[in-house]
Amino acid sequence: IGGTLTHWLSLGNHELSHNLCFKTTLYNEILGMVANCAQGFPSCVTFKKYHLEHHYYQGTDEIDVDIPTYWEGEFFNTTIKKVLWVILQPAFYALRPLFVNPKPMDLKEAMNIATTLSFDAWFAYTFGIKALAFNVAGTLLGMGLHPCAGHFISEHYTFKEGQETYSYYGWLNLVAFNVGYH
């Protein structure tokens, strides 16, 4: 359940990065920061900064950091390594931008970090470190080796040259803001 819920929050942040909840950008960003509190990781502001480029320059190496790097494709070339890549997907998704296309941190990112880490500290103090670990583990599972996270592969892995993305039309769209229709 934790992986499904935190994955849902991550996809909510995807929708918020496109300003689809409120007409005002700031309100979408604030709601994204609230969602990050339950996930344990500050990510909504940085995600938005890079994700919009993913749509403008889809499939362009060194700009579209949503797609795996050449190194990832070369290294994770066996079944076992590919399963490991899926498990580590949240780390690659979070760290890839810092290596492929680094950008300076801005005030909103700093606020996102401060808000989320402050909430994490309060949450751990109030409910215990195990409760915080549950939220963090749910996020890592929900973005990695979880049925709901399968859309990341179909959206960001090239199976056929010239076709950068694939859509998913199954029932998991019910808990994924229809993100499979990509």
Side-chain angles (χ1 to χ4, degrees), residues 2-12 138 142-143 148-149 151-152 175-176:
T4 302
L5 294 176
T6 54
H7 185 80
W8 182 76
L9 291 171
S10 297
L11 293 177
M143 298 290 287
C148 287
H151 69 89
F152 287 120
V175 294

Side-chain angles (χ1 to χ4, degrees), residues 43-168:
S43 62
C44 69
V45 176
T46 305
F47 173 77
K48 180 177 182 174
K49 183 190 312 186
Y50 287 99
H51 183 68
L52 295 179
E53 287 185 345
H54 161 68
H55 287 286
Y56 297 140
Y57 304 102
Q58 193 169 56
T60 304
D61 290 337
E62 298 178 15
I63 298 176
D64 181 1
V65 295
D66 275 13
I67 60 171
T69 62
Y70 179 79
W71 176 84
E72 290 171 72
E74 288 294 311
F75 182 78
F76 295 99
N77 59 1
T78 65
T79 301
I80 291 292
K81 287 181 180 180
K82 288 176 184 179
V83 169
L84 179 62
W85 181 85
V86 170
I87 292 168
L88 296 174
Q89 202 312 84
F92 284 110
Y93 205 69
L95 298 175
R96 189 181 302 122
L98 305 177
F99 293 98
V100 174
N101 189 9
K103 298 174 188 268
M105 182 185 295
D106 62 20
L107 179 61
K108 287 181 185 176
E109 284 177 290
M111 288 173 51
N112 188 198
I113 292 168
T115 301
T116 305
L117 296 182
S118 295
F119 180 86
D120 288 349
W122 171 83
F123 194 77
Y125 177 79
T126 304
F127 299 104
I129 195 72
K130 288 182 181 179
L132 178 61
F134 177 84
N135 283 2
V136 170
T139 299
L140 295 174
L141 176 64
M143 298 290 287
L145 192 61
H146 191 281
C148 287
H151 69 89
F152 287 120
I153 295 171
S154 68
E155 293 171 8
H156 303 112
Y157 190 88
T158 303
F159 293 97
K160 181 179 176 185
E161 193 65 36
Q163 184 170 348
E164 297 294 337
T165 186
Y166 291 81
S167 291
Y168 167 76

